[in-house]
């Protein structure tokens, strides 16, 4: 396999292997191709062995795809190369080197909800009320300090106000509680390796020797701990290649520092710089519109993106009355695209600034029978019943995990309330023993005999499977545990209709462990729990489904779609009001807008509303986003949307001579009967099989010619009879 498919700049970047390399990769310029071909080149030319290469990125999905591509290039099904996210690489390292830090190799990884649960306990112990410091605010403050690598002691010297001093006190107690629970949060996964390197130089030397060449994807999204992790590992060999785009740095709110990529040459003076400017994703119209906005940022690397796919269509701009009409306008434009360009539902993505904006979109899509996936809703592994079952598994692995104990000690119901748990906690403090060990002597506590028996039974159950964890496979152990705990029985025998879905979710979880064990026969329950804890929303997204994708702009990073709708482009919503006070905040919002536009391959629609219901329920008069005003008028095509409810004419300074009128009509109610042949704008011809309700509540069940079955509300379905 040669490098002939690469363009001149891509090939030069791939073949540059001596010393630090910085690759500015504009949107859609083939950065993944460059990274995978570079790994392929390093191995094929025998410059480095696969096991001497470390490649880090930000999502499991990206890491998996990257490894598959490299294996395909090398024509092998086995590749001992380390490719993973920062968190997964660090977690693996910490489990191996745990003894040097005084932690257990079986440490738990606490997600956001676990952190909140622990902080609630900490705040209660410190007698800090929610009014003085809310758990969520405490978590955000602690995470911010960790991302800046500020310890409780260091922050204590800076604290001036009562709130700042309280945060320091909570931060210190929270870290102590994590230790007692033998747990690390996501930020700790990045910080502990740095402590390891500082205190144990031989460990650092070991990994410097192991990973002789380092590649980094999405380098613009690195924070301070990640920057230090990479510089420490590469300081001896100086063989590091980073790829990124400063115009797509959108995670400043969680600690990412765009200066890491912009100042790379300062830290690595001998580095060579390559700029990938040929875009293989979008049209020139899309690129020019996106660039015309982001060039208003002062601090950025200059790039001149050239589209390989030609000029393309103008950017569609639609004004609507409110968020409901905005959803209707999206559906109308979607219908037109399907009719004229023979697109499928998976061709479309609707992007928005905040998750709360999805509700009117979802409502409209459901009414019209349009299938959709929503990224960023409750993840499978975040559903209560799934987290409850996972807590059983976590406790079996780590008996010190008090958050898991509190979560499941009364699941299924055992008659054990929080007052009983408080007594257990108090006894643990008195006896200076672990909370779990208190449970086996529950009869000594001042509680009823039934509760005492329940606690002892719970202890015996967990201890039994803790002792079996290395004797049974992960799938055998988990199925037996959940069966014996009575979880399946609880949901199976319940009369609550929602419990059927909960039962199926638990079964699906157990099936996922089966699949995990099949793929990795030597894996343990700890390995499965680590993988689950490090998954992100996008890792669950299935792009093979024929559905419209709804997601925030942040979630869309790294993805592409033929047609993209960017909704909610009201000033104060995108960009958000709370970032307008700082230059840095506004510049990051611009970069976010740039990311939104450059997800599109062929067509972009921008939408804003003149009225919008915000938090609290009040209606707010809206103005178009200032970012729309930063796009030259020659790149925009005003699309007038006339809804059946408002029937109005849209004007404005952005109006062009050429107008495209998109209209909706509402079918007269009660003029359908079972057996009627009807035409739907998206699904085509079909036959009404079921009819119910009258007037505005009339519903029909239709089987379309391709076999698709849909239940539709006549009011919104735009059905017409076929004579």
């Amino acid at each position: 396999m040669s490098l002939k498919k690469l363009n001149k700049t891509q090939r030069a970047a791939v073949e540059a292997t001596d010393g630090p390399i910085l690759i500015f990769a504009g949107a859609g310029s083939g950065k993944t191709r460059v990274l995978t071909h570079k790994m392929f080149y390093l191995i094929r030319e025998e410059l480095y062995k696969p096991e001497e290469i470390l490649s880090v990125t930000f999502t499991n999905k990206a890491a998996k795809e990257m490894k598959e591509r490299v294996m395909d290039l090398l024509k092998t099904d086995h590749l001992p190369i380390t490719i993973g996210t920062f968190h997964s690489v660090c977690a693996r390292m910490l489990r191996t080197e745990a003894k040097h830090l005084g932690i257990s190799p079986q440490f738990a990884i606490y997600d956001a909800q676990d952190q909140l649960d622990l902080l609630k306990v900490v705040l209660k112990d410190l007698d800090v009320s929610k009014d003085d410091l809310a758990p969520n605010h405490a978590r955000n403050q602690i995470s911010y300090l960790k991302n800046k690598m500020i310890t409780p002691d260091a922050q204590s010297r800076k604290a001036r106000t009562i709130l700042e001093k309280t945060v320091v006190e909570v931060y210190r107690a929270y870290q102590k509680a994590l230790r007692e629970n033998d747990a690390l949060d996501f930020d700790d996964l990045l910080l502990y390796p740095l402590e390891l390197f500082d205190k144990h130089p031989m460990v650092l030397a070991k990994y410097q020797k192991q990973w002789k060449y380092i590649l980094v994807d999405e380098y613009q999204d690195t924070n301070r701990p990640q920057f230090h992790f990479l510089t420490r590992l590469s300081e001896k060999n100086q063989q590091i290649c980073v790829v990124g785009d400063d115009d797509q740095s959108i995670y400043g709110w969680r600690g990412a520092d765009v200066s890491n990529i912009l100042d790379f040459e300062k830290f690595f003076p001998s580095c060579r710089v390559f700029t990938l400017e040929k875009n293989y994703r979008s049209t020139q119209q899309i690129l020019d519109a996106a660039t015309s906005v982001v060039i208003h940022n002062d601090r950025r690397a200059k790039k001149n993106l050239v589209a390989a796919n030609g000029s393309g269509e103008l950017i569609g701009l639609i004004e609507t009355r409110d968020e409901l009409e905005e959803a209707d306008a999206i559906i109308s434009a979607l219908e037109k695209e399907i009719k004229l360009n023979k697109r499928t539902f998976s061709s479309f993505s609707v992007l928005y600034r905040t998750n709360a904006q999805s509700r009117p979109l979802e409502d409209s899509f459901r009414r019209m029978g349009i299938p959709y996936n929503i990224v960023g809703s409750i993840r499978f592994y975040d559903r209560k019943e799934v987290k409850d079952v996972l807590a059983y598994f976590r406790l079996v692995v780590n008996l010190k995990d008090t958050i898991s104990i509190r979560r499941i000690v009364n699941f299924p119901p055992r008659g054990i309330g929080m007052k009983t748990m408080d007594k257990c906690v108090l006894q643990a403090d008195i006896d200076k023993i672990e909370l779990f060990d208190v449970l086996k002597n529950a009869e000594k506590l001042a509680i009823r005999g039934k509760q005492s028996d329940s606690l002892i039974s719970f202890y015996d159950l967990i201890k039994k499977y803790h002792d079996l964890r290395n004797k049974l496979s992960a799938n055998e152990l988990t199925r037996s545990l959940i069966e014996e705990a009575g979880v399946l029985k609880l949901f199976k025998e319940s009369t609550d209709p929602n419990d059927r879905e909960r039962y199926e979710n638990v079964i699906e979880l157990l099936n996922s462990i089966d699949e995990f064990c099949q793929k990795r026969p030597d894996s343990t329950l700890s390995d499965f729990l680590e993988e689950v804890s490090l998954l992100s929303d996008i890792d669950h997204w299935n792009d093979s489904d024929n559905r419209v994708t709804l997601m925030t702009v942040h979630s869309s990073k790294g993805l592409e779609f033929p047609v993209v709708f960017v909704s909610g482009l009201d000033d104060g919503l995108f960009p958000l009001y709370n970032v307008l006070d700082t230059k840095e905040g506004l510049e990051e919002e611009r970069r976010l807008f740039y990311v939104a536009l450059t997800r599109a391959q062929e067509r972009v629609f921008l939408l804003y509303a003149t009225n919008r219901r915000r938090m609290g329920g009040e209606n707010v008069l809206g103005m178009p986003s200032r970012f729309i005003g930063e796009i030259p008028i020659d790149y925009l095509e005003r699309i007038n949307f006339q809804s059946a409810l408002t029937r109005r004419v849209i004007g404005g300074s952005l109006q062009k001579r050429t107008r495209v009128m998109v209209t909706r009509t509402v079918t007269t109610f009660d003029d359908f009967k079972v057996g009627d042949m009807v035409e739907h704008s998206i699904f085509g011809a079909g036959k009404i099989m079921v009819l119910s309700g009258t007037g505005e509540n009339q519903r029909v069940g239709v089987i379309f010619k391709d076999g698709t079955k849909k239940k539709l509300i006549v009011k919104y379905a735009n059905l017409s009879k076929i004579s």
Side-chain angles (χ1 to χ4, degrees):
M1 173 75 187
S2 69
L3 307 180
K4 289 181 180 178
K5 290 185 178 180
L6 304 178
N7 66 40
K8 187 177 178 182
T9 310
Q10 288 174 332
R11 181 163 182 166
V14 165
E15 293 178 339
T17 58
D18 189 19
I21 305 292
L22 168 61
I23 304 174
F24 283 110
S29 62
K31 67 175 178 65
T32 304
R33 171 176 282 195
V34 168
L35 274 173
T36 52
H37 277 77
K38 196 170 188 73
M39 282 184 265
F40 159 73
Y41 182 78
L42 292 171
I43 297 167
R44 187 194 68 176
E45 299 298 312
E46 298 183 351
L47 299 171
Y48 296 93
K49 297 175 183 175
E51 56 269 28
E52 294 176 334
I53 298 171
L54 168 66
S55 179
V56 285
T57 185
F58 280 84
T59 69
N60 291 285
K61 184 180 176 71
K64 182 172 179 280
E65 289 175 356
M66 205 172 289
K67 189 165 186 175
E68 287 173 351
R69 287 200 198 185
V70 178
M71 289 195 296
D72 188 54
L73 288 169
L74 290 166
K75 298 184 175 10
T76 180
D77 56 2
H78 177 67
L79 188 63
I81 191 171
T82 303
I83 303 180
T85 65
F86 279 96
H87 290 95
S88 67
V89 169
C90 289
R92 213 171 305 146
M93 178 187 292
L94 290 173
R95 294 202 190 280
T96 304
E97 311 297 341
K99 63 182 180 183
H100 296 295
L101 294 168
I103 59 176
S104 162
Q106 305 300 326
F107 61 80
I109 300 174
Y110 277 6
D111 63 15
Q113 187 57 55
D114 298 324
Q115 289 176 263
L116 286 176
D117 291 342
L118 185 60
L119 278 164
K120 287 173 185 176
V121 175
V122 168
L123 290 167
K124 184 181 177 182
D125 291 344
L126 295 175
D127 200 24
V128 177
S129 75
K130 292 180 181 179
D131 294 334
D132 293 332
L133 182 61
N136 199 52
H137 183 64
R139 188 191 71 189
N140 292 340
Q141 285 295 302
I142 292 169
S143 183
Y144 173 82
L145 292 169
K146 286 186 177 184
N147 276 309
K148 298 296 181 184
M149 298 175 64
I150 300 172
T151 64
D153 289 344
Q155 185 61 14
S156 177
R157 293 190 287 271
K158 298 179 183 177
R160 295 292 180 267
T161 67
I162 294 174
L163 179 59
E164 288 173 343
K165 291 176 180 178
T166 303
V167 168
V168 170
E169 188 181 7
V170 172
Y171 182 7
R172 188 175 280 114
Y174 169 73
Q175 287 302 109
K176 183 173 180 287
L178 281 173
R179 280 276 187 171
E180 290 170 350
N181 281 267
D182 201 12
L184 277 67
D185 64 23
F186 272 40
D187 297 317
D188 288 335
L189 290 177
L190 303 177
L191 289 170
Y192 274 57
L194 301 180
E195 183 182 332
L196 187 66
F197 294 164
D198 287 339
K199 293 181 177 179
H200 303 278
M202 293 301 293
V203 174
L204 172 60
K206 168 186 168 182
Y207 287 100
Q208 286 175 334
K209 186 178 180 181
Q210 179 178 329
W211 294 319
K212 295 178 180 178
Y213 201 96
I214 300 171
L215 299 106
V216 190
D217 190 17
E218 305 285 6
Y219 187 68
Q220 77 281 346
D221 292 332
T222 53
N223 61 16
R224 190 171 180 186
Q226 288 162 339
F227 166 78
H228 282 280
F229 177 74
L230 293 168
T231 50
R232 295 299 303 276
L233 282 176
S234 61
E235 62 188 358
K236 182 180 178 182
N237 300 317
Q238 294 281 299
Q239 300 297 333
I240 182 170
C241 174
V242 303
V243 183
D245 182 7
D246 54 298
D247 287 334
Q248 297 186 68
S249 179
I250 59 174
Y251 294 110
W253 51 275
R254 70 181 189 195
D257 190 348
V258 70
S259 64
N260 286 349
I261 189 169
L262 291 173
D263 296 338
F264 186 83
E265 293 175 83
K266 291 182 182 177
F267 300 108
F268 295 93
S270 63
C271 85
R272 296 169 64 186
V273 182
F274 299 87
T275 304
L276 307 181
E277 295 180 309
K278 191 164 185 179
N279 177 286
Y280 297 93
R281 176 189 300 150
S282 307
T283 65
Q284 196 64 51
Q285 289 281 3
I286 294 170
L287 295 178
D288 289 348
T291 302
S292 68
V293 175
V294 81
I295 59 172
H296 286 81
N297 285 352
D298 288 338
R299 197 153 185 252
R300 62 181 292 270
K302 188 178 178 182
K303 291 175 281 296
N304 181 33
L305 296 182
V306 179
N309 298 331
S311 63
E313 297 183 70
L314 296 174
I315 309 297
L317 179 66
I318 306 175
E319 178 190 278
T320 61
R321 182 177 61 87
D322 56 24
E323 66 271 19
L324 300 177
E325 192 172 90
E326 184 178 68
D328 284 347
I330 289 171
I331 290 171
S332 289
L334 183 147
E335 290 175 350
K336 185 180 177 186
E337 284 287 325
I338 288 175
K339 277 185 175 179
L340 295 181
N341 299 310
K342 310 298 181 190
R343 301 192 190 278
T344 60
F345 292 119
S346 59
S347 301
F348 304 94
S349 178
V350 184
L351 307 181
Y352 35 80
R353 181 62 182 82
T354 65
N355 275 308
Q357 293 168 250
S358 73
R359 186 198 56 77
L361 292 165
E362 290 188 77
D363 289 347
S364 294
F365 276 50
R366 280 197 297 267
R367 282 199 306 265
M368 294 297 293
I370 296 173
Y372 66 91
N373 277 329
I374 182 162
V375 178
S377 59
I378 298 177
R379 296 190 307 144
F380 175 79
Y381 293 107
D382 286 339
R383 293 169 184 169
K384 182 183 181 304
E385 64 275 12
V386 175
K387 281 190 74 72
D388 288 342
V389 172
L390 286 172
Y392 269 99
F393 303 161
R394 286 171 31 168
L395 184 56
V396 162
V397 170
N398 176 15
L399 300 178
K400 293 183 179 180
D401 188 351
T402 64
I403 296 302
S404 291
I405 294 175
R406 289 171 181 270
R407 187 175 188 101
I408 59 170
V409 72
N410 199 42
F411 172 78
R414 300 183 176 91
I416 302 168
M418 283 300 104
K419 287 185 178 178
T420 300
M421 284 309 300
D422 288 342
K423 291 178 182 178
C424 293
V425 170
L426 182 62
Q427 195 63 47
D429 288 340
I430 294 170
D431 295 343
K432 299 290 188 281
I433 60 175
E434 300 294 342
L435 177 59
F436 182 73
D437 290 329
V438 171
L439 307 184
K440 67 180 174 182
N441 297 314
E443 70 274 2
K444 296 180 181 179
L445 301 172
I447 58 177
R448 291 183 301 164
K450 188 177 179 182
Q451 289 177 319
S452 173
D453 293 343
S454 294
L455 285 172
I456 294 170
S457 297
F458 177 73
Y459 172 89
D460 290 340
L461 175 72
I462 300 301
K463 187 66 167 60
K464 171 185 173 181
Y465 285 93
H466 176 74
D467 295 340
L468 288 170
R469 71 191 189 283
N470 296 321
K471 298 175 184 176
L472 297 176
S473 64
N475 51 342
E476 290 172 328
L477 185 143
T478 52
R479 284 186 180 273
S480 181
L481 168 61
I482 296 310
E483 187 73 45
E484 190 169 342
V487 174
L488 293 175
K489 183 181 178 182
L490 172 72
F491 292 136
K492 200 170 184 178
E493 296 180 357
S494 171
T495 56
D496 183 345
N498 293 320
D499 278 345
R500 180 64 198 174
E501 184 180 349
R502 294 181 181 116
Y503 174 82
E504 290 172 353
N505 286 336
V506 174
I507 294 296
E508 179 60 26
L509 173 62
L510 295 174
N511 290 341
S512 72
I513 299 173
D514 290 342
E515 292 170 6
F516 181 81
C517 291
Q518 286 173 8
K519 290 178 184 175
R520 298 168 58 180
D522 298 330
S523 57
T524 64
L525 182 56
S526 291
D527 296 328
F528 174 77
L529 292 172
E530 181 177 303
E531 180 161 290
V532 168
S533 67
L534 298 177
L535 288 173
S536 65
D537 288 335
I538 204 63
D539 293 321
H540 297 281
W541 178 65
N542 185 356
D543 56 359
S544 64
D545 291 344
N546 187 24
R547 297 171 178 267
V548 180
T549 299
L550 310 182
M551 62 174 79
T552 64
V553 183
H554 281 100
S555 296
S556 74
K557 181 86 174 307
L559 305 179
E560 58 185 35
F561 302 88
V563 182
V564 168
F565 296 92
V566 188
S567 63
L569 281 168
D570 313 355
D571 220 46
L573 183 56
F574 197 174
L576 290 173
Y577 274 127
N578 62 1
V579 304
L580 300 180
D581 295 336
T582 66
K583 178 183 174 183
E584 292 79 11
L586 182 58
E587 290 201 349
E588 179 150 318
E589 289 287 297
R590 270 202 194 92
R591 293 194 292 266
L592 191 60
F593 183 74
Y594 175 88
V595 167
L597 264 63
T598 55
R599 298 313 91 199
Q601 296 168 302
E602 300 169 22
R603 194 83 164 97
V604 173
F605 294 92
L606 309 178
L607 298 101
Y608 66 94
T610 55
N611 290 272
R612 192 178 298 272
R613 195 175 296 276
R614 298 283 179 86
M615 295 290 287
E618 79 276 11
N619 279 313
V620 178
L621 291 175
M623 293 289 293
S625 168
R626 64 193 65 195
F627 299 152
I628 294 174
E630 290 174 355
I631 301 174
I633 193 170
D634 292 342
Y635 298 157
L636 297 168
E637 176 184 38
R638 170 72 75 167
I639 298 175
N640 288 347
F641 174 73
Q642 187 178 28
S643 77
L645 297 175
T646 56
R647 301 204 182 276
R648 60 192 168 75
V649 179
I650 303 169
S653 60
L654 295 169
Q655 184 139 7
K656 293 184 63 67
R657 290 191 181 94
T658 305
R659 302 180 185 178
V660 178
M661 184 68 69
V662 181
T663 60
R664 297 257 329 259
T665 58
V666 177
T667 306
T668 304
F669 305 126
D670 301 325
D671 63 349
F672 292 116
K673 62 181 184 294
V674 173
D676 280 349
M677 296 299 296
V678 293
E679 181 81 22
H680 188 277
S681 60
I682 295 175
F683 302 107
K687 185 177 182 180
I688 295 178
M689 306 303 292
V690 181
L691 188 140
S692 64
T694 59
E696 294 197 0
N697 295 318
Q698 190 178 57
R699 296 170 180 263
V700 292
V702 184
I703 295 182
F704 294 95
K705 282 189 174 179
D706 64 355
T708 301
K709 298 178 182 178
K710 288 290 176 184
K711 293 179 181 177
L712 304 170
I713 302 173
V714 173
K715 179 181 177 180
Y716 302 104
N718 278 349
L719 293 173
S720 57
K721 283 187 180 182
I722 302 173
S723 54

